[in-house]
């Protein structure tokens, strides 16, 4: 089977599962993964046929994709901030709006030194702290997660991407553990924020495969993590420090009101590229 024939077969097999540009992108990712050749190299590749091993791999991948398993989990890799991260079912798939969160952190961090400390809460694959460390190499960056498998994977990603991050296994909701932490210039988090009632409207590609622990919160306490983050930040942000969070698009004003009720006096709510309320930044003073 030639590369062009493989592309045609993938299209026929997956057209009922994926639409338009998404399908084209998935086909490109799969063929690059199977052959080891980027799309531009595939076009001019001298070897016109896939090997038996490549065909077997392609068949296995196709069957998993037909079952609506996310391509990132099938290939065990995802791109974030221009870098390739290893991912699996124990961590959320990195998303573009989280890149916007990282960009906001970086743009407002100013000049750093070794005393500039950043903490990521609920790190998953480690994409947030690693992307921040790449852009702020002098900063001391730490990250926590409640899942040991996530910590292991995040550590693998940090090593592969040559970044020094301190990873900590810890249940953030257990306030008794908070005294183990010092003070930070930046605290950042993409916490669970999807309400249980929203599950019915979500694609099974998400609900059947991505970790529910990292996705869902109770309907009757949808801001539980933001309340905890606010309480933690009050104790662990340095003067002038900033807390950055990703939020549920329907909870913008609720999160802002929560932070205001906790005494934060500078709060900004930002829309993502799709025009949805998705990011909030807050802190202690009114000069940033």
């Amino acid at each position: 089977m030639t590369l062009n024939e493989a592309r045609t077969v993938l299209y026929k097999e997956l057209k009922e599962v994926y639409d338009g540009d998404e399908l084209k992108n998935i086909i490109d990712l799969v063929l690059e993964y199977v052959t080891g050749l980027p799309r531009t190299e595939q076009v001019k590749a001298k070897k016109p046929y896939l090997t038996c091993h490549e065909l077997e791999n392609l068949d296995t991948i196709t069957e998993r994709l037909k079952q609506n398993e996310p391509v990132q989990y099938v290939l065990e890799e995802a791109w974030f901030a221009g870098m390739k991260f290893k991912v699996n079912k124990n961590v959320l798939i990195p998303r573009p709006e989280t890149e916007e969160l990282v960009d906001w952190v970086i743009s407002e961090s100013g000049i750093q030194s070794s005393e500039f400390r950043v903490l990521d809460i609920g790190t998953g694959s480690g994409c947030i702290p690693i992307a921040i460390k790449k852009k702020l190499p002098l900063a001391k960056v730490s990250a926590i997660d409640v899942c040991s498998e996530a910590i292991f994977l995040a550590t693998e990603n940090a090593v592969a991407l040559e970044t020094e991050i301190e990873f900590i296994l810890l249940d953030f909701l257990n306030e008794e553990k908070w005294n183990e932490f010092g003070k930070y210039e930046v605290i950042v988090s993409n916490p669970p924020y999807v309400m249980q009632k929203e599950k019915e409207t979500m694609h099974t590609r998400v609900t059947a495969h991505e970790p529910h622990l990292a996705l869902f919160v109770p309907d009757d306490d949808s801001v539980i993590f933001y309340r905890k983050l606010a309480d933690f930040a009050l104790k662990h942000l340095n003067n002038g420090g900033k807390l950055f969070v990703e939020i549920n698009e329907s909870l913008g004003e609720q999160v802002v009101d929560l932070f205001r009720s906790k005494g934060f006096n500078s709060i900004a709510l930002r829309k993502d590229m799709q025009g949805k309320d998705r990011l909030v930044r807050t802190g202690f003073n009114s000069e940033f």
Side-chain angles (χ1 to χ4, degrees):
M1 182 183 293
T2 66
L3 281 170
N4 283 338
E5 288 171 340
R7 191 174 293 277
T8 300
V9 169
L10 280 169
Y11 177 81
K12 290 180 178 178
E13 291 287 330
L14 299 175
K15 65 181 180 179
E16 302 299 325
V17 184
Y18 302 93
D19 297 321
D21 290 340
E22 183 184 18
L23 177 55
K24 180 180 180 298
N25 184 53
I26 285 173
I27 291 173
D28 286 342
L29 288 172
V30 169
L31 289 179
E32 179 175 339
Y33 179 85
V34 168
T35 65
L37 297 172
R39 177 67 192 274
T40 54
E41 294 297 320
Q42 292 173 27
V43 175
K44 55 185 179 182
K46 293 182 179 179
K47 184 182 68 172
Y49 295 97
L50 275 68
T51 66
C52 290
H53 175 72
E54 289 170 342
L55 286 171
E56 290 175 2
N57 202 7
L58 187 64
D59 286 344
T60 300
I61 289 170
T62 302
E63 288 305 310
R64 291 176 67 181
L65 290 173
K66 286 168 68 175
Q67 299 304 314
N68 261 314
E69 187 173 353
V71 66
Q72 294 89 344
Y73 289 157
V74 175
L75 305 183
E76 295 189 338
E77 59 187 35
W79 286 89
F80 182 86
M83 294 177 285
K84 187 185 290 185
F85 284 80
K86 186 175 181 180
V87 296
N88 60 34
K89 63 181 181 179
N90 296 303
V91 301
L92 291 181
I93 296 166
R95 288 171 167 80
E97 52 265 32
T98 308
E99 288 193 40
E100 295 183 64
L101 179 68
V102 168
D103 289 342
W104 200 5
V105 170
I106 292 166
S107 69
E108 298 213 359
S109 291
I111 300 174
Q112 303 83 45
S113 69
S114 59
E115 301 302 314
F116 191 93
R117 303 185 68 206
V118 178
L119 177 66
D120 174 40
I121 297 173
T123 197
S125 65
C127 62
I128 290 176
I130 290 170
I132 291 174
K133 181 67 174 179
K134 280 290 188 181
K135 293 293 186 179
L136 308 178
L138 295 180
K140 183 177 180 181
V141 182
S142 303
I144 67 175
D145 202 285
V146 68
C147 174
S148 59
E149 291 86 358
I151 290 291
F152 182 82
L153 184 68
T155 302
E156 281 191 309
N157 282 325
V159 171
L161 293 166
E162 300 180 334
T163 49
E164 185 177 347
I165 312 288
E166 178 190 25
F167 290 106
I168 304 164
L169 179 64
L170 181 136
D171 180 4
F172 175 69
L173 295 181
N174 183 359
E175 296 186 25
E176 293 180 0
K177 298 290 186 178
W178 290 2
N179 58 9
E180 299 176 13
F181 295 86
K183 297 274 191 175
Y184 300 88
E185 276 62 50
V186 168
I187 297 171
V188 59
S189 183
N190 176 20
Y193 57 65
V194 181
M195 290 176 277
Q196 292 287 338
K197 64 184 179 183
E198 295 178 286
K199 189 182 298 185
E200 297 178 0
T201 64
M202 298 173 68
H203 201 291
T204 55
R205 202 171 297 143
V206 176
T207 58
H209 296 283
E210 298 202 51
H212 286 202
L213 183 65
L215 281 172
F216 295 105
V217 289
D219 291 342
D220 60 355
D221 195 6
S222 57
V223 295
I224 178 174
F225 279 94
Y226 302 104
R227 186 169 62 254
K228 294 285 188 176
L229 285 163
D231 290 339
F232 181 86
L234 287 170
K235 297 178 181 179
H236 294 279
L237 270 183
N238 275 323
N239 184 40
K242 303 172 186 180
L243 168 65
F244 296 83
V245 295
E246 187 173 322
I247 65 168
N248 185 315
E249 63 184 272
S250 66
L251 297 177
E253 292 303 325
Q254 194 172 341
V255 172
V256 167
D257 289 343
L258 169 65
F259 287 159
R260 187 175 292 118
S261 72
K262 293 290 185 178
F264 292 98
N265 59 7
S266 184
I267 307 170
L269 173 63
R270 177 177 285 192
K271 297 183 183 299
D272 65 11
M273 289 182 292
Q274 297 181 354
K276 300 176 181 179
D277 289 342
R278 187 66 77 180
L279 311 171
V280 175
R281 181 218 62 201
T282 190
F284 291 128
N285 63 48
S286 59
E287 297 180 359
F288 63 78

